[in-house]
Amino acid sequence: MITTYEEYLHTECSLTLEKMQDIHNKMISDIGTDADAIEIYGELVDTATKYAAIRTEWLLLNREEKAERDSKRTSCHYSIIIKFNMLARYVRMQGKDATWRDCLGYEEDNPYNRKRMGDFACYLAFVNGLNAR
């Protein structure tokens, strides 16, 4: 199956690369040099990288393989949401506004915001992958 970025942009609650860059820059600004925030961010990126690996192969799997791996994917996705919330809560406690978290949206407002957070997790893994050269 061949897919394109343009196809993704037509999905509900999608994020452009520019919007993801903006969210990431706001996140990095909130983190600054705070060692605890950097540690939480590292945990987020670690989880995002694992999630991106699972999600990347998803379209290549048959129905049985998807059923077999679905609980692991879901569990990893929930971990990402928890890490986003942890980081936002922590930086807010440090006096930052964490508007980046609001940009990702909340599942209770729109179920597609869950997918949006997964998309952004893939972006974090993408950025890390590019910088690992």
Side-chain angles (χ1 to χ4, degrees), residues 82-112:
I82 289 167
K83 297 293 182 192
F84 281 134
N85 291 338
M86 284 175 56
L87 182 58
R89 187 172 39 254
Y90 178 80
V91 298
R92 284 180 178 137
M93 288 175 25
Q94 305 310 308
K96 308 292 181 172
D97 60 15
T99 58
W100 56 266
R101 179 60 188 91
D102 298 331
C103 290
L104 292 174
Y106 299 90
E107 190 173 4
E108 47 277 7
D109 296 333
N110 182 339
Y112 280 95

PDB file of all heavy atoms in Angstrom, residues 82-112:
ATOM      1  N   ILE A  82      -0.360   9.720  28.619  1.00  0.00           N
ATOM      2  CA  ILE A  82       0.039   9.941  30.012  1.00  0.00           C
ATOM      3  C   ILE A  82       1.302  10.797  30.074  1.00  0.00           C
ATOM      4  O   ILE A  82       1.399  11.729  30.880  1.00  0.00           O
ATOM      5  CB  ILE A  82       0.226   8.591  30.738  1.00  0.00           C
ATOM      6  CG1 ILE A  82      -1.130   7.930  30.956  1.00  0.00           C
ATOM      7  CG2 ILE A  82       0.981   8.773  32.057  1.00  0.00           C
ATOM      8  CD1 ILE A  82      -1.056   6.467  31.369  1.00  0.00           C
ATOM      9  N   LYS A  83       2.285  10.519  29.210  1.00  0.00           N
ATOM     10  CA  LYS A  83       3.538  11.295  29.204  1.00  0.00           C
ATOM     11  C   LYS A  83       3.286  12.739  28.781  1.00  0.00           C
ATOM     12  O   LYS A  83       3.865  13.665  29.360  1.00  0.00           O
ATOM     13  CB  LYS A  83       4.575  10.656  28.286  1.00  0.00           C
ATOM     14  CG  LYS A  83       5.019   9.276  28.688  1.00  0.00           C
ATOM     15  CD  LYS A  83       5.790   9.281  29.973  1.00  0.00           C
ATOM     16  CE  LYS A  83       6.259   7.871  30.294  1.00  0.00           C
ATOM     17  NZ  LYS A  83       6.770   7.745  31.634  1.00  0.00           N
ATOM     18  N   PHE A  84       2.430  12.958  27.778  1.00  0.00           N
ATOM     19  CA  PHE A  84       2.078  14.331  27.399  1.00  0.00           C
ATOM     20  C   PHE A  84       1.465  15.062  28.598  1.00  0.00           C
ATOM     21  O   PHE A  84       1.823  16.201  28.900  1.00  0.00           O
ATOM     22  CB  PHE A  84       1.071  14.363  26.244  1.00  0.00           C
ATOM     23  CG  PHE A  84       1.654  14.139  24.884  1.00  0.00           C
ATOM     24  CD1 PHE A  84       1.042  13.269  23.991  1.00  0.00           C
ATOM     25  CD2 PHE A  84       2.797  14.800  24.464  1.00  0.00           C
ATOM     26  CE1 PHE A  84       1.560  13.064  22.721  1.00  0.00           C
ATOM     27  CE2 PHE A  84       3.323  14.607  23.192  1.00  0.00           C
ATOM     28  CZ  PHE A  84       2.698  13.732  22.323  1.00  0.00           C
ATOM     29  N   ASN A  85       0.540  14.394  29.271  1.00  0.00           N
ATOM     30  CA  ASN A  85      -0.124  15.012  30.418  1.00  0.00           C
ATOM     31  C   ASN A  85       0.849  15.267  31.565  1.00  0.00           C
ATOM     32  O   ASN A  85       0.775  16.313  32.212  1.00  0.00           O
ATOM     33  CB  ASN A  85      -1.294  14.144  30.878  1.00  0.00           C
ATOM     34  CG  ASN A  85      -2.430  14.141  29.871  1.00  0.00           C
ATOM     35  OD1 ASN A  85      -2.559  15.042  29.045  1.00  0.00           O
ATOM     36  ND2 ASN A  85      -3.257  13.119  29.926  1.00  0.00           N
ATOM     37  N   MET A  86       1.751  14.329  31.815  1.00  0.00           N
ATOM     38  CA  MET A  86       2.753  14.507  32.872  1.00  0.00           C
ATOM     39  C   MET A  86       3.629  15.721  32.601  1.00  0.00           C
ATOM     40  O   MET A  86       3.878  16.539  33.487  1.00  0.00           O
ATOM     41  CB  MET A  86       3.646  13.264  32.984  1.00  0.00           C
ATOM     42  CG  MET A  86       3.013  12.088  33.659  1.00  0.00           C
ATOM     43  SD  MET A  86       4.070  10.610  33.625  1.00  0.00           S
ATOM     44  CE  MET A  86       5.562  11.199  34.388  1.00  0.00           C
ATOM     45  N   LEU A  87       4.108  15.818  31.346  1.00  0.00           N
ATOM     46  CA  LEU A  87       4.986  16.922  30.990  1.00  0.00           C
ATOM     47  C   LEU A  87       4.244  18.255  31.102  1.00  0.00           C
ATOM     48  O   LEU A  87       4.767  19.217  31.670  1.00  0.00           O
ATOM     49  CB  LEU A  87       5.556  16.731  29.584  1.00  0.00           C
ATOM     50  CG  LEU A  87       6.528  17.797  29.106  1.00  0.00           C
ATOM     51  CD1 LEU A  87       7.732  17.920  30.041  1.00  0.00           C
ATOM     52  CD2 LEU A  87       6.988  17.480  27.678  1.00  0.00           C
ATOM     53  N   ALA A  88       3.021  18.301  30.597  1.00  0.00           N
ATOM     54  CA  ALA A  88       2.239  19.544  30.671  1.00  0.00           C
ATOM     55  C   ALA A  88       1.971  19.932  32.122  1.00  0.00           C
ATOM     56  O   ALA A  88       2.131  21.103  32.495  1.00  0.00           O
ATOM     57  CB  ALA A  88       0.921  19.386  29.919  1.00  0.00           C
ATOM     58  N   ARG A  89       1.586  18.972  32.921  1.00  0.00           N
ATOM     59  CA  ARG A  89       1.324  19.249  34.336  1.00  0.00           C
ATOM     60  C   ARG A  89       2.582  19.761  35.034  1.00  0.00           C
ATOM     61  O   ARG A  89       2.540  20.733  35.779  1.00  0.00           O
ATOM     62  CB  ARG A  89       0.799  17.982  35.018  1.00  0.00           C
ATOM     63  CG  ARG A  89       0.340  18.184  36.439  1.00  0.00           C
ATOM     64  CD  ARG A  89      -0.373  16.966  37.050  1.00  0.00           C
ATOM     65  NE  ARG A  89       0.179  15.671  36.699  1.00  0.00           N
ATOM     66  CZ  ARG A  89      -0.368  14.795  35.847  1.00  0.00           C
ATOM     67  NH1 ARG A  89      -1.499  15.090  35.234  1.00  0.00           N
ATOM     68  NH2 ARG A  89       0.203  13.647  35.596  1.00  0.00           N
ATOM     69  N   TYR A  90       3.714  19.128  34.742  1.00  0.00           N
ATOM     70  CA  TYR A  90       4.961  19.544  35.380  1.00  0.00           C
ATOM     71  C   TYR A  90       5.353  20.966  34.975  1.00  0.00           C
ATOM     72  O   TYR A  90       5.670  21.792  35.832  1.00  0.00           O
ATOM     73  CB  TYR A  90       6.106  18.573  35.057  1.00  0.00           C
ATOM     74  CG  TYR A  90       7.391  19.035  35.676  1.00  0.00           C
ATOM     75  CD1 TYR A  90       7.646  18.808  37.026  1.00  0.00           C
ATOM     76  CD2 TYR A  90       8.317  19.773  34.935  1.00  0.00           C
ATOM     77  CE1 TYR A  90       8.808  19.288  37.620  1.00  0.00           C
ATOM     78  CE2 TYR A  90       9.481  20.250  35.525  1.00  0.00           C
ATOM     79  CZ  TYR A  90       9.721  20.004  36.862  1.00  0.00           C
ATOM     80  OH  TYR A  90      10.865  20.493  37.455  1.00  0.00           O
ATOM     81  N   VAL A  91       5.340  21.267  33.668  1.00  0.00           N
ATOM     82  CA  VAL A  91       5.777  22.608  33.255  1.00  0.00           C
ATOM     83  C   VAL A  91       4.800  23.677  33.735  1.00  0.00           C
ATOM     84  O   VAL A  91       5.214  24.798  34.028  1.00  0.00           O
ATOM     85  CB  VAL A  91       6.067  22.720  31.732  1.00  0.00           C
ATOM     86  CG1 VAL A  91       7.202  21.792  31.331  1.00  0.00           C
ATOM     87  CG2 VAL A  91       4.832  22.493  30.889  1.00  0.00           C
ATOM     88  N   ARG A  92       3.527  23.330  33.851  1.00  0.00           N
ATOM     89  CA  ARG A  92       2.563  24.288  34.422  1.00  0.00           C
ATOM     90  C   ARG A  92       2.888  24.558  35.880  1.00  0.00           C
ATOM     91  O   ARG A  92       2.752  25.689  36.348  1.00  0.00           O
ATOM     92  CB  ARG A  92       1.139  23.771  34.252  1.00  0.00           C
ATOM     93  CG  ARG A  92       0.614  23.913  32.832  1.00  0.00           C
ATOM     94  CD  ARG A  92      -0.801  23.405  32.672  1.00  0.00           C
ATOM     95  NE  ARG A  92      -1.254  23.616  31.307  1.00  0.00           N
ATOM     96  CZ  ARG A  92      -1.937  22.728  30.596  1.00  0.00           C
ATOM     97  NH1 ARG A  92      -2.276  21.561  31.123  1.00  0.00           N
ATOM     98  NH2 ARG A  92      -2.296  22.998  29.361  1.00  0.00           N
ATOM     99  N   MET A  93       3.309  23.533  36.603  1.00  0.00           N
ATOM    100  CA  MET A  93       3.706  23.723  38.004  1.00  0.00           C
ATOM    101  C   MET A  93       4.930  24.639  38.111  1.00  0.00           C
ATOM    102  O   MET A  93       5.150  25.275  39.138  1.00  0.00           O
ATOM    103  CB  MET A  93       4.012  22.373  38.662  1.00  0.00           C
ATOM    104  CG  MET A  93       2.773  21.552  38.926  1.00  0.00           C
ATOM    105  SD  MET A  93       3.045  19.861  39.569  1.00  0.00           S
ATOM    106  CE  MET A  93       4.590  19.917  40.369  1.00  0.00           C
ATOM    107  N   GLN A  94       5.700  24.721  37.016  1.00  0.00           N
ATOM    108  CA  GLN A  94       6.883  25.581  36.988  1.00  0.00           C
ATOM    109  C   GLN A  94       6.553  26.979  36.465  1.00  0.00           C
ATOM    110  O   GLN A  94       7.448  27.787  36.220  1.00  0.00           O
ATOM    111  CB  GLN A  94       7.980  24.945  36.120  1.00  0.00           C
ATOM    112  CG  GLN A  94       8.373  23.536  36.516  1.00  0.00           C
ATOM    113  CD  GLN A  94       8.673  23.412  37.992  1.00  0.00           C
ATOM    114  OE1 GLN A  94       9.471  24.170  38.536  1.00  0.00           O
ATOM    115  NE2 GLN A  94       8.026  22.463  38.666  1.00  0.00           N
ATOM    116  N   GLY A  95       5.264  27.247  36.243  1.00  0.00           N
ATOM    117  CA  GLY A  95       4.835  28.578  35.827  1.00  0.00           C
ATOM    118  C   GLY A  95       4.713  28.768  34.323  1.00  0.00           C
ATOM    119  O   GLY A  95       4.460  29.879  33.860  1.00  0.00           O
ATOM    120  N   LYS A  96       4.880  27.708  33.552  1.00  0.00           N
ATOM    121  CA  LYS A  96       4.724  27.797  32.089  1.00  0.00           C
ATOM    122  C   LYS A  96       3.258  27.575  31.736  1.00  0.00           C
ATOM    123  O   LYS A  96       2.489  27.031  32.516  1.00  0.00           O
ATOM    124  CB  LYS A  96       5.588  26.743  31.392  1.00  0.00           C
ATOM    125  CG  LYS A  96       7.037  26.727  31.814  1.00  0.00           C
ATOM    126  CD  LYS A  96       7.764  27.951  31.365  1.00  0.00           C
ATOM    127  CE  LYS A  96       9.222  27.841  31.807  1.00  0.00           C
ATOM    128  NZ  LYS A  96      10.042  28.859  31.278  1.00  0.00           N
ATOM    129  N   ASP A  97       2.869  27.982  30.520  1.00  0.00           N
ATOM    130  CA  ASP A  97       1.452  27.846  30.164  1.00  0.00           C
ATOM    131  C   ASP A  97       1.098  26.542  29.452  1.00  0.00           C
ATOM    132  O   ASP A  97      -0.059  26.163  29.406  1.00  0.00           O
ATOM    133  CB  ASP A  97       0.974  29.046  29.355  1.00  0.00           C
ATOM    134  CG  ASP A  97       1.730  29.222  28.052  1.00  0.00           C
ATOM    135  OD1 ASP A  97       2.422  28.295  27.607  1.00  0.00           O
ATOM    136  OD2 ASP A  97       1.616  30.318  27.473  1.00  0.00           O
ATOM    137  N   ALA A  98       2.075  25.855  28.893  1.00  0.00           N
ATOM    138  CA  ALA A  98       1.861  24.562  28.221  1.00  0.00           C
ATOM    139  C   ALA A  98       0.739  24.621  27.178  1.00  0.00           C
ATOM    140  O   ALA A  98      -0.049  23.686  27.058  1.00  0.00           O
ATOM    141  CB  ALA A  98       1.624  23.454  29.240  1.00  0.00           C
ATOM    142  N   THR A  99       0.695  25.699  26.410  1.00  0.00           N
ATOM    143  CA  THR A  99      -0.339  25.803  25.370  1.00  0.00           C
ATOM    144  C   THR A  99      -0.203  24.709  24.322  1.00  0.00           C
ATOM    145  O   THR A  99      -1.175  24.363  23.665  1.00  0.00           O
ATOM    146  CB  THR A  99      -0.301  27.181  24.677  1.00  0.00           C
ATOM    147  OG1 THR A  99       0.994  27.388  24.113  1.00  0.00           O
ATOM    148  CG2 THR A  99      -0.640  28.298  25.641  1.00  0.00           C
ATOM    149  N   TRP A 100       1.005  24.163  24.178  1.00  0.00           N
ATOM    150  CA  TRP A 100       1.220  23.068  23.236  1.00  0.00           C
ATOM    151  C   TRP A 100       0.314  21.888  23.559  1.00  0.00           C
ATOM    152  O   TRP A 100      -0.163  21.207  22.659  1.00  0.00           O
ATOM    153  CB  TRP A 100       2.696  22.636  23.221  1.00  0.00           C
ATOM    154  CG  TRP A 100       3.230  22.250  24.570  1.00  0.00           C
ATOM    155  CD1 TRP A 100       3.887  23.055  25.455  1.00  0.00           C
ATOM    156  CD2 TRP A 100       3.126  20.965  25.200  1.00  0.00           C
ATOM    157  NE1 TRP A 100       4.203  22.359  26.602  1.00  0.00           N
ATOM    158  CE2 TRP A 100       3.747  21.069  26.467  1.00  0.00           C
ATOM    159  CE3 TRP A 100       2.589  19.741  24.811  1.00  0.00           C
ATOM    160  CZ2 TRP A 100       3.837  19.996  27.347  1.00  0.00           C
ATOM    161  CZ3 TRP A 100       2.669  18.677  25.694  1.00  0.00           C
ATOM    162  CH2 TRP A 100       3.292  18.813  26.945  1.00  0.00           C
ATOM    163  N   ARG A 101       0.072  21.651  24.863  1.00  0.00           N
ATOM    164  CA  ARG A 101      -0.782  20.512  25.243  1.00  0.00           C
ATOM    165  C   ARG A 101      -2.209  20.743  24.785  1.00  0.00           C
ATOM    166  O   ARG A 101      -2.879  19.829  24.291  1.00  0.00           O
ATOM    167  CB  ARG A 101      -0.716  20.284  26.763  1.00  0.00           C
ATOM    168  CG  ARG A 101      -1.594  19.135  27.270  1.00  0.00           C
ATOM    169  CD  ARG A 101      -1.179  17.820  26.627  1.00  0.00           C
ATOM    170  NE  ARG A 101      -2.100  16.760  26.930  1.00  0.00           N
ATOM    171  CZ  ARG A 101      -3.165  16.442  26.195  1.00  0.00           C
ATOM    172  NH1 ARG A 101      -3.474  17.140  25.117  1.00  0.00           N
ATOM    173  NH2 ARG A 101      -3.935  15.425  26.517  1.00  0.00           N
ATOM    174  N   ASP A 102      -2.670  21.976  24.919  1.00  0.00           N
ATOM    175  CA  ASP A 102      -4.018  22.305  24.468  1.00  0.00           C
ATOM    176  C   ASP A 102      -4.132  22.185  22.945  1.00  0.00           C
ATOM    177  O   ASP A 102      -5.185  21.810  22.432  1.00  0.00           O
ATOM    178  CB  ASP A 102      -4.411  23.710  24.924  1.00  0.00           C
ATOM    179  CG  ASP A 102      -4.434  23.834  26.445  1.00  0.00           C
ATOM    180  OD1 ASP A 102      -4.691  22.819  27.134  1.00  0.00           O
ATOM    181  OD2 ASP A 102      -4.183  24.950  26.940  1.00  0.00           O
ATOM    182  N   CYS A 103      -3.052  22.502  22.225  1.00  0.00           N
ATOM    183  CA  CYS A 103      -3.051  22.372  20.762  1.00  0.00           C
ATOM    184  C   CYS A 103      -3.239  20.918  20.320  1.00  0.00           C
ATOM    185  O   CYS A 103      -3.805  20.665  19.263  1.00  0.00           O
ATOM    186  CB  CYS A 103      -1.750  22.902  20.172  1.00  0.00           C
ATOM    187  SG  CYS A 103      -1.549  24.678  20.281  1.00  0.00           S
ATOM    188  N   LEU A 104      -2.765  19.989  21.121  1.00  0.00           N
ATOM    189  CA  LEU A 104      -2.938  18.567  20.782  1.00  0.00           C
ATOM    190  C   LEU A 104      -4.373  18.117  21.003  1.00  0.00           C
ATOM    191  O   LEU A 104      -4.831  17.171  20.371  1.00  0.00           O
ATOM    192  CB  LEU A 104      -1.983  17.698  21.602  1.00  0.00           C
ATOM    193  CG  LEU A 104      -0.508  17.858  21.282  1.00  0.00           C
ATOM    194  CD1 LEU A 104       0.338  17.054  22.261  1.00  0.00           C
ATOM    195  CD2 LEU A 104      -0.217  17.450  19.845  1.00  0.00           C
ATOM    196  N   GLY A 105      -5.076  18.793  21.864  1.00  0.00           N
ATOM    197  CA  GLY A 105      -6.473  18.468  22.126  1.00  0.00           C
ATOM    198  C   GLY A 105      -6.623  17.380  23.174  1.00  0.00           C
ATOM    199  O   GLY A 105      -5.652  16.727  23.579  1.00  0.00           O
ATOM    200  N   TYR A 106      -7.859  17.189  23.579  1.00  0.00           N
ATOM    201  CA  TYR A 106      -8.194  16.229  24.624  1.00  0.00           C
ATOM    202  C   TYR A 106      -9.238  15.257  24.088  1.00  0.00           C
ATOM    203  O   TYR A 106     -10.185  15.668  23.420  1.00  0.00           O
ATOM    204  CB  TYR A 106      -8.697  16.951  25.868  1.00  0.00           C
ATOM    205  CG  TYR A 106      -7.644  17.871  26.444  1.00  0.00           C
ATOM    206  CD1 TYR A 106      -7.546  19.200  26.036  1.00  0.00           C
ATOM    207  CD2 TYR A 106      -6.703  17.386  27.347  1.00  0.00           C
ATOM    208  CE1 TYR A 106      -6.556  20.031  26.539  1.00  0.00           C
ATOM    209  CE2 TYR A 106      -5.703  18.214  27.851  1.00  0.00           C
ATOM    210  CZ  TYR A 106      -5.640  19.531  27.440  1.00  0.00           C
ATOM    211  OH  TYR A 106      -4.644  20.348  27.921  1.00  0.00           O
ATOM    212  N   GLU A 107      -9.042  13.998  24.405  1.00  0.00           N
ATOM    213  CA  GLU A 107      -9.916  12.941  23.906  1.00  0.00           C
ATOM    214  C   GLU A 107     -11.376  13.166  24.308  1.00  0.00           C
ATOM    215  O   GLU A 107     -12.288  12.879  23.533  1.00  0.00           O
ATOM    216  CB  GLU A 107      -9.423  11.589  24.421  1.00  0.00           C
ATOM    217  CG  GLU A 107     -10.098  10.407  23.795  1.00  0.00           C
ATOM    218  CD  GLU A 107      -9.473   9.096  24.206  1.00  0.00           C
ATOM    219  OE1 GLU A 107      -8.545   9.073  25.039  1.00  0.00           O
ATOM    220  OE2 GLU A 107      -9.942   8.068  23.694  1.00  0.00           O
ATOM    221  N   GLU A 108     -11.591  13.707  25.508  1.00  0.00           N
ATOM    222  CA  GLU A 108     -12.965  13.926  25.963  1.00  0.00           C
ATOM    223  C   GLU A 108     -13.675  15.007  25.143  1.00  0.00           C
ATOM    224  O   GLU A 108     -14.906  15.025  25.076  1.00  0.00           O
ATOM    225  CB  GLU A 108     -13.041  14.223  27.464  1.00  0.00           C
ATOM    226  CG  GLU A 108     -12.073  15.234  28.008  1.00  0.00           C
ATOM    227  CD  GLU A 108     -10.670  14.704  28.333  1.00  0.00           C
ATOM    228  OE1 GLU A 108     -10.332  13.547  28.040  1.00  0.00           O
ATOM    229  OE2 GLU A 108      -9.887  15.497  28.860  1.00  0.00           O
ATOM    230  N   ASP A 109     -12.916  15.893  24.492  1.00  0.00           N
ATOM    231  CA  ASP A 109     -13.506  16.924  23.629  1.00  0.00           C
ATOM    232  C   ASP A 109     -13.818  16.386  22.239  1.00  0.00           C
ATOM    233  O   ASP A 109     -14.801  16.800  21.613  1.00  0.00           O
ATOM    234  CB  ASP A 109     -12.563  18.124  23.499  1.00  0.00           C
ATOM    235  CG  ASP A 109     -12.347  18.832  24.825  1.00  0.00           C
ATOM    236  OD1 ASP A 109     -13.240  18.764  25.697  1.00  0.00           O
ATOM    237  OD2 ASP A 109     -11.278  19.441  24.991  1.00  0.00           O
ATOM    238  N   ASN A 110     -12.953  15.515  21.752  1.00  0.00           N
ATOM    239  CA  ASN A 110     -13.117  14.922  20.425  1.00  0.00           C
ATOM    240  C   ASN A 110     -12.289  13.638  20.395  1.00  0.00           C
ATOM    241  O   ASN A 110     -11.075  13.694  20.597  1.00  0.00           O
ATOM    242  CB  ASN A 110     -12.628  15.897  19.350  1.00  0.00           C
ATOM    243  CG  ASN A 110     -12.808  15.362  17.941  1.00  0.00           C
ATOM    244  OD1 ASN A 110     -12.934  14.168  17.698  1.00  0.00           O
ATOM    245  ND2 ASN A 110     -12.809  16.268  16.973  1.00  0.00           N
ATOM    246  N   PRO A 111     -12.915  12.501  20.140  1.00  0.00           N
ATOM    247  CA  PRO A 111     -12.176  11.223  20.138  1.00  0.00           C
ATOM    248  C   PRO A 111     -10.995  11.220  19.154  1.00  0.00           C
ATOM    249  O   PRO A 111     -10.018  10.502  19.367  1.00  0.00           O
ATOM    250  CB  PRO A 111     -13.217  10.188  19.732  1.00  0.00           C
ATOM    251  CG  PRO A 111     -14.542  10.829  19.954  1.00  0.00           C
ATOM    252  CD  PRO A 111     -14.331  12.315  19.879  1.00  0.00           C
ATOM    253  N   TYR A 112     -11.067  12.032  18.107  1.00  0.00           N
ATOM    254  CA  TYR A 112      -9.969  12.071  17.134  1.00  0.00           C
ATOM    255  C   TYR A 112      -8.724  12.753  17.691  1.00  0.00           C
ATOM    256  O   TYR A 112      -7.643  12.620  17.131  1.00  0.00           O
ATOM    257  CB  TYR A 112     -10.413  12.746  15.832  1.00  0.00           C
ATOM    258  CG  TYR A 112     -11.203  11.806  14.957  1.00  0.00           C
ATOM    259  CD1 TYR A 112     -12.587  11.788  15.003  1.00  0.00           C
ATOM    260  CD2 TYR A 112     -10.553  10.917  14.098  1.00  0.00           C
ATOM    261  CE1 TYR A 112     -13.313  10.911  14.210  1.00  0.00           C
ATOM    262  CE2 TYR A 112     -11.272  10.039  13.304  1.00  0.00           C
ATOM    263  CZ  TYR A 112     -12.656  10.045  13.364  1.00  0.00           C
ATOM    264  OH  TYR A 112     -13.369   9.164  12.584  1.00  0.00           O
TER     265      TYR A 112
END
